[in-house]
């Protein structure tokens, strides 16, 4: 059985995080949603290092982030 | 001789001062641009939260709220969305000031026909008599000039909404070798010439918001784009007698020759 890829959110504003999570919830997705607060943390997740060194393998299905 | 040299010195000095002042002005303008941009950009985040949370509240609690409270939420949402539109327009307006113009030869007639076809899609329910005259090729940034035409034509459509038969004419006058003046004329609400100087200001509106919707940035955008093309804008009208908006542009070289050869 294949596991569902995660959804990665990169956002430092807690309000935007909450609104995004609520919007995703409405679609009843079974994917794991991971919230990182900045680009560095997001890279740690992608490269499976730091606090994410123990996460299971595989890239997220979608990354949501805003770029300036 | 002595006097002449003194005068030349003076002129040189004045020119230098003028140059300095122009540079100062340019710097101030740039600063103002980036200020407008960051203000409008940073205003969006909290506004997005107002809209987002109001919508969540509406969905989650509407069964618990009485009609009056529900109306309060709707008013919050409407106002926040209106503010969002204002910010979007302000952002777009400030971008026009900052972005480079890419000037090529632009076939105005083709551009106008394209825009009218596009806007005509949204106005099928209305009776509008379109009249499009011959327009020359001119020199300018196509996407910016498209925005000028879109703004003027949609204004004409909007301000004729109360006419059972609307007439909108696009043509050009005053052809000379170097410049073309294009006009968009309608038989709509018009305006009082007394306020003509306010027409092209940012967020200036001569009509009630209830009567004609809009944020009041369209003509300011038109003016800014045309000024960036070294052209001029003006408006003529009378209350309930329709309005005509003019913009001038430099002609493309080839087109200028073609016109000059004409009898």
């Amino acid at each position: 059985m294949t596991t569902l890829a995660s959804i990665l959110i990169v956002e430092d504003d807690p309000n935007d995080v909450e609104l995004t999570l609520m919007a995703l919830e409405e679609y009843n997705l079974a994917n794991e949603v991971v919230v990182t607060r900045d680009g560095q943390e997001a890279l740690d997740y992608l490269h499976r290092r730091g606090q994410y060194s123990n996460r299971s393998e595989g890239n997220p299905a979608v990354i949501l982030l805003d770029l300036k | 001789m002595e006097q002449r040299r003194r005068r030349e010195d003076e002129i040189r000095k004045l020119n230098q001062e003028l140059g300095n002042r122009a540079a100062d002005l340019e710097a101030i303008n740039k600063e103002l641009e980036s200020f407008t941009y960051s203000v409008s950009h940073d205003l969006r985040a909290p506004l997005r939260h107002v809209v987002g949370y109001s919508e969540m509240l509406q969905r989650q609690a509407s069964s618990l709220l009485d009609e009056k409270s529900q109306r309060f939420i709707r008013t919050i949402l409407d106002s926040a969305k209106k503010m969002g539109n204002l910010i979007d327009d302000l952002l777009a307006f400030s971008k026009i000031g900052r972005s480079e113009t890419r000037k090529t030869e632009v076939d105005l007639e083709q551009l106008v026909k394209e825009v009218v076809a596009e806007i005509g899609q949204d106005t099928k329910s209305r009776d509008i008599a379109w009249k499009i005259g011959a327009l020359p090729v001119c020199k300018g940034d196509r996407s910016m000039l498209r925005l000028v035409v879109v703004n003027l034509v949609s204004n004409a459509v909007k301000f004729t909404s109360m006419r059972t038969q609307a007439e909108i004419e696009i043509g050009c006058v005053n052809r000379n070798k170097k410049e073309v003046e294009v006009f968009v004329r309608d038989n709509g609400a018009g305006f009082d010439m007394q306020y003509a100087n306010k027409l092209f200001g940012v967020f200036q509106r001569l009509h009630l918001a209830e009567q004609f919707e809009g944020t009041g940035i369209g003509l300011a955008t038109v003016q800014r784009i045309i000024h960036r093309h070294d052209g001029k804008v003006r408006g003529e009208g009378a209350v309930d007698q329709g309005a005509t908006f003019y913009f001038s542009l430099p002609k493309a070289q080839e087109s200028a020759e073609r016109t000059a050869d004409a009898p």
Side-chain angles (χ1 to χ4, degrees):
Chain A
M1 200 185 95
T2 51
T3 47
L4 276 174
S6 61
I7 295 171
L8 177 62
I9 298 173
V10 191
E11 178 59 64
D12 63 339
D13 187 314
N15 290 341
D16 281 326
V17 170
E18 190 180 11
L19 287 169
T20 310
L21 290 178
M22 283 192 284
L24 287 174
E25 221 167 87
E26 277 185 30
Y27 287 93
N28 293 316
L29 299 174
N31 309 58
E32 181 197 11
V33 180
V34 181
V35 178
T36 56
R37 283 160 307 172
D38 54 37
Q40 191 52 58
E41 216 181 297
L43 285 173
D44 284 350
Y45 177 85
L46 290 172
H47 291 295
R48 298 172 68 209
R49 61 190 185 207
Q51 59 170 307
Y52 296 105
S53 50
N54 292 323
R55 79 165 173 96
S56 51
E57 265 182 77
N59 286 328
V62 185
I63 303 177
L64 297 174
L65 78 165
D66 66 336
L67 298 169
K68 258 198 181 165
Chain B
M1 278 308 266
E2 179 66 23
Q3 208 175 8
R4 190 174 152 186
R5 193 184 308 156
R6 221 182 307 142
R7 253 187 236 153
E8 280 172 357
D9 276 351
E10 221 167 280
I11 289 171
R12 208 170 298 131
K13 223 163 82 191
L14 284 173
N15 268 335
Q16 172 112 42
E17 261 173 50
L18 200 63
N20 288 346
R21 241 179 248 182
D24 282 352
L25 261 179
E26 205 172 310
I28 291 169
N29 260 334
K30 282 235 170 79
E31 218 168 275
L32 202 61
E33 286 303 336
S34 73
F35 174 77
T36 320
Y37 182 78
S38 56
V39 164
S40 24
H41 190 267
D42 295 347
L43 277 176
R44 291 177 68 108
L47 192 66
R48 192 169 57 240
H49 301 153
V50 172
V51 174
Y53 282 98
S54 305
E55 273 173 355
M56 294 312 293
L57 184 63
Q58 197 176 38
R59 243 180 276 176
Q60 212 143 328
S62 65
S63 58
L64 308 170
L65 297 175
D66 57 10
E67 178 48 38
K68 197 172 184 184
S69 308
Q70 292 193 27
R71 183 170 59 78
F72 289 165
I73 297 182
R74 280 200 300 274
T75 308
I76 294 172
L77 274 170
D78 284 349
S79 301
K81 281 175 185 164
K82 215 168 279 172
M83 188 171 167
N85 289 338
L86 285 169
I87 293 172
D88 284 349
D89 286 353
L90 205 55
L91 257 176
F93 183 64
S94 107
K95 271 185 191 152
I96 292 165
R98 296 177 315 130
S99 57
E100 296 282 320
T101 51
R102 284 186 308 270
K103 289 187 182 165
T104 56
E105 291 194 354
V106 181
D107 185 337
L108 280 178
E109 196 170 318
Q110 192 203 340
L111 182 71
V112 165
K113 283 181 174 159
E114 213 176 279
V115 170
V116 168
E118 195 182 291
I119 289 177
Q121 287 291 315
D122 306 326
T123 56
K124 278 181 178 158
S125 58
R126 293 194 36 204
D127 187 4
I128 302 176
W130 294 97
K131 204 164 140 193
I132 302 170
L135 298 170
V137 175
C138 69
K139 194 137 201 181
D141 182 306
R142 194 172 202 276
S143 63
M144 285 196 187
L145 292 181
R146 192 168 203 285
L147 198 55
V148 166
V149 175
V150 166
N151 269 305
L152 292 178
V153 171
S154 31
N155 268 359
V157 168
K158 178 163 68 177
F159 290 103
T160 51
S161 58
M162 70 300 198
R163 300 281 185 244
T164 44
Q165 162 102 71
E167 285 161 32
I168 300 172
E169 182 185 356
I170 301 138
C172 93
V173 287
N174 193 21
R175 284 179 174 224
N176 64 28
K177 275 187 190 171
K178 290 196 178 119
E179 228 180 33
V180 55
E181 194 176 41
V182 178
F183 67 83
V184 178
R185 175 174 296 141
D186 65 61
N187 65 337
F191 60 89
D192 189 337
M193 277 304 271
Q194 192 187 332
Y195 305 115
N197 62 328
K198 291 192 186 288
L199 280 171
F200 297 95
V202 178
F203 296 149
Q204 297 275 5
R205 305 204 61 226
L206 299 188
H207 298 91
L208 292 175
E210 292 84 37
Q211 214 177 347
F212 300 103
E213 54 180 52
T215 53
I217 203 121
L219 288 179
T221 303
V222 167
Q223 169 165 279
R224 176 168 276 190
I225 292 172
I226 296 302
H227 281 179
R228 291 206 63 180
H229 284 80
D230 300 317
K232 286 192 188 111
V233 289
R234 65 193 175 94
E236 274 172 7
V239 175
D240 211 33
Q241 304 285 308
T244 309
F245 287 94
Y246 301 84
F247 63 89
S248 61
L249 282 174
K251 274 183 194 171
Q253 203 54 42
E254 183 214 7
S255 164
E257 278 159 17
R258 218 194 297 161
T259 314
D261 289 341

